[in-house]
Amino acid sequence: MSGHGTPIPMTSRRAGPLSGVAEVPGDKSISHRSLILGAMAIGETHISGLLEGEDVLDTAKAMRAFGAEVTDHGNGEWTVVGVGVGGFAEPDQVIDCGNSGTGVRLIMGAAATQPISVTYTGDASLNKRPMARVTDPLALFGTTTLGRSGGRLPMTLKGSSDPVPVRYEVPVPSAQVKSAVLLAGLNVPGKTVVIEKEATRDHSERMLAGFGAEITVEDTEEGRVITLTGQPELKPQVIAVPRDPSSAAFPVCAALVTPGSDVLVPGIGLNPTRAGLFATLRDMGADLTYENEREEGGEPVADLRAKFSPNMQGIEVPPERAASMIDEYPILSVVASYAKGTTMMAGVKELRVKESDRIDAMARGLRANGITVDEGDDWWSVEGLGPDGVPGGATCESFLDHRIAMSFLILGMGAQKPVSIDDGSPIATSFPIFERLMADLGAQLIRANI
Ligand code: S3P
């Protein structure tokens, strides 16, 4: 688990062009869901391409604690023998989800309508994050919660033996909250309805349907109305996890800001609820093309080719695109530093409650490296200095946040002076091969501070 070991100081400096093929790992959101839904099915689910980052490994451990048989066959091949909807055993240990908000919130949902008591905890970052957004709707099913003040972990959830279905309008754009309610609805007789005003990533809906649940999605004036019929028998699946667009963002953006680069990132899922960053980069004038566009497992997929892009312009990122690129604003702010003019990012309040306050974390580090950043509660802007203009030269705090750590390392790849981070250990939560992959492309990363 990150944040519990020795910090790993790291530095990146301007190197020659980045080139080659970057095979990024499996999608984190789909990996968590594959294990959880596999554990709720009857029979053996086969998963290939599972992301073997710490976040997902913590979810695998949790599923074992609930009684599922989870086996690692090597090379991203896993099997899960599920216990069925409603079949979770009460764990005899605390469920430690490490750094993962997705892990803990989805698992809380899955276990919340079973008559068991479960205690959850996480690392220093996760134990600061708000859980009431999940425990409030779970209470409507009859689940009781006792946690720390402010609705923080560690906390215990006790499922009702007689849960009732709910109709819930999600008050914040959050796929985790939506998914927690849907997973809870699985073990409840009758129809559970979730309404979201803004569409968020729809992997839960797609995968629930794939596992055989009765689920419908309607676009109405109220928003997206998702209706799930409870107590299905979920059927085991064969799942090939697509590569993670949120991880692809790092080699793509590194190529855009490093002079002379040409990098191919193959097989990236371009589900419209996830692909907002790539549309935004193209709007900024990035030389980013989709090659070999195809469909795999019902999802649009393409090979991304990214080349050094010295003529990018700052833009106003459409706020309605926020949910489809919510994890990508840190790395977008790095690209914005190398564009000309201002990039304005509004409607992004959710960034303040991620693994860190991502607006604050990026603003501090960018300013230390010579970039002007302005911010409000739910917006921020970055003044680009052009392809040669980023001074660099400072050490940034990564605040136990993988995406902050990787973003600042990419900042160093085009800067005049090297850029350091205090701790790269959180990178292992989502992108355990980041260092090797970037080094293979030609990046200069070292494990030391400047
Ligand atoms: C995720 C949803 C998003 C995202 C996270 C993964 C998911 O969180 O930031 O990395 O897999 O459902 P929110 O639901 O809090 O926006």
Side-chain angles (χ1 to χ4, degrees), residues 27-30 32-33 102 105-106 129 133 173-179 200-201 203-204 246 274 326-327 350 353-355 358 402-403:
D27 189 274
K28 183 153 70 72
S29 295
I30 295 175
H32 282 297
R33 286 162 174 80
T102 307
R105 292 183 177 129
L106 266 53
R129 297 180 67 186
R133 54 177 53 203
S174 168
Q176 293 175 0
V177 175
K178 167 178 68 177
S179 303
T200 62
R201 66 191 67 195
H203 306 302
S204 295
S246 298
R274 295 289 299 281
I326 195 66
D327 290 336
E350 280 295 298
V353 291
K354 296 293 179 188
E355 285 82 331
R358 285 182 169 162
H402 52 133
R403 299 202 199 281

Side-chain angles (χ1 to χ4, degrees), residues 111-414:
T113 48
Q114 317 213 22
I116 54 176
S117 294
V118 187
T119 302
Y120 299 90
T121 193
D123 71 1
S125 154
L126 187 57
N127 287 3
K128 279 191 211 148
R129 297 180 67 186
M131 294 298 143
R133 54 177 53 203
V134 170
T135 55
D136 285 353
L138 295 181
L140 304 175
F141 288 101
T143 309
T144 51
T145 302
L146 183 61
R148 284 196 306 135
S149 55
R152 318 274 148 166
L153 299 177
M155 69 175 35
T156 300
L157 269 66
K158 185 173 187 303
S160 160
S161 51
D162 198 12
V164 291
V166 310
R167 182 181 173 87
Y168 189 68
E169 192 172 316
V170 185
V172 285
S174 168
Q176 293 175 0
V177 175
K178 167 178 68 177
S179 303
V181 177
L182 290 172
L183 291 171
L186 276 177
N187 192 38
V188 180
K191 291 188 191 301
T192 287
V193 179
V194 184
I195 302 155
E196 58 177 6
K197 286 191 220 89
E198 292 170 50
T200 62
R201 66 191 67 195
D202 62 358
H203 306 302
S204 295
E205 296 91 307
R206 288 173 188 250
M207 293 178 74
L208 279 163
F211 272 85
E214 198 182 315
I215 182 165
T216 60
V217 181
E218 275 173 286
D219 284 313
T220 72
E221 272 178 14
E222 269 183 298
R224 272 181 95 238
V225 179
I226 306 153
T227 306
L228 174 79
T229 304
Q231 299 188 320
E233 183 175 310
L234 297 185
K235 295 179 189 59
Q237 297 298 299
V238 176
I239 301 171
V241 179
R243 297 182 197 274
D244 198 327
S246 298
S247 296
F250 294 101
V252 162
C253 292
L256 301 181
V257 305
T258 307
S261 298
D262 181 349
V263 169
L264 185 72
V265 190
I268 300 305
L270 291 178
N271 177 319
T273 63
R274 295 289 299 281
L277 173 75
F278 305 125
T280 300
L281 293 172
R282 281 153 60 121
D283 289 350
M284 294 171 78
D287 187 347
L288 171 63
T289 48
Y290 301 164
E291 297 180 356
N292 192 15
E293 288 183 60
R294 56 203 185 267
E295 217 171 83
E296 280 175 17
E299 298 262 357
V301 168
D303 305 334
L304 308 183
R305 184 174 290 280
K307 295 185 184 167
F308 176 54
S309 301
N311 296 315
M312 292 186 287
Q313 295 288 336
I315 60 165
E316 280 190 25
V317 181
E320 61 276 13
R321 213 179 259 172
S324 69
M325 52 181 288
I326 195 66
D327 290 336
E328 281 66 75
Y329 283 93
I331 188 62
L332 175 64
S333 71
V334 168
V335 174
S337 306
Y338 286 94
K340 292 172 192 146
T342 307
T343 294
M344 167 61 81
M345 298 165 280
V348 291
K349 202 171 185 173
E350 280 295 298
L351 292 181
R352 298 217 177 260
V353 291
K354 296 293 179 188
E355 285 82 331
S356 66
D357 174 340
R358 285 182 169 162
I359 297 178
D360 179 63
M362 287 309 299
R364 284 170 193 254
L366 290 175
R367 286 178 187 137
N369 282 285
I371 295 140
T372 301
V373 181
D374 207 358
E375 63 178 293
D377 190 31
D378 72 342
W379 64 271
W380 52 319
S381 63
V382 172
E383 300 299 327
L385 295 172
D388 279 322
V390 173
T395 299
C396 312
E397 270 185 83
S398 58
F399 296 99
L400 289 181
D401 188 329
H402 52 133
R403 299 202 199 281
I404 301 300
M406 289 186 279
S407 295
F408 285 127
L409 292 174
I410 305 293
L411 182 74
M413 292 179 194

Side-chain angles (χ1 to χ4, degrees), residues 429-448:
T429 62
S430 71
F431 201 159
I433 60 167
F434 174 79
E435 264 177 284
R436 200 184 69 224
L437 181 144
M438 293 308 305
D440 286 349
L441 295 176
Q444 297 262 328
L445 289 177
I446 55 162
R447 286 194 172 204

Side-chain angles (χ1 to χ4, degrees), residues 34 44-48 73 77-80 236-240:
S34 300
E44 187 172 273
T45 287
H46 289 249
I47 309 167
S48 56
H73 300 278
E77 302 281 333
W78 289 64
T79 51
V80 182
Q237 297 298 299
V238 176
I239 301 171

